[in-house]
Amino acid sequence: SPLLQTVNDNCRDNLIMSLIPISFPAGSMVVKKGDMGEEMYFVSKGTVEVLSSNGDRLTTFEEGGYFGEVSLLSTGRRLHSVRTVVPTDM
């Protein structure tokens, strides 16, 4: 992932070891716009869609994709809602 390319191996290994696997059924709202964001997600299997305020699909993320980093690095609030399209592991 480009996000972790500049991180040294030890730091990257520690980050990977701290990940907590979670699974969501299809149609699950993973995060909601405006909620406080205290975690980010890495898609390991499945597909999620990022939704606009009116519910339109802005983009999708599949295996290797990630989201939630903006709320960790800035305001702390989720900028968009994210929903699973199919059963998804993160």
Side-chain angles (χ1 to χ4, degrees):
S1 165
L3 180 68
L4 302 176
Q5 284 180 345
T6 60
V7 176
N8 70 48
D9 291 343
N10 188 43
C11 182
R12 183 175 26 248
D13 291 346
N14 287 335
L15 177 62
I16 290 169
M17 294 304 294
S18 69
L19 297 176
I20 300 169
I22 187 166
S23 298
F24 294 91
S28 296
M29 196 64 72
V30 179
V31 299
K32 293 180 184 174
K33 179 180 179 178
D35 286 353
M36 288 301 295
E38 297 178 352
E39 57 278 308
M40 67 179 292
Y41 297 86
F42 295 87
V43 180
S44 59
K45 180 180 178 185
T47 305
V48 298
E49 58 186 355
V50 179
L51 304 173
S52 68
S53 295
N54 63 2
D56 292 335
R57 180 185 290 181
L58 298 173
T59 192
T60 59
F61 294 112
E62 296 179 331
E63 183 177 334
Y66 57 88
F67 60 94
E69 74 283 2
V70 173
S71 64
L72 292 179
L73 300 172
S74 62
T75 65
R77 299 268 177 199
R78 300 289 184 188
L79 299 179
H80 300 285
S81 294
V82 178
R83 177 175 58 205
T84 58
V85 177
V86 297
T88 302
D89 297 334
M90 295 188 233

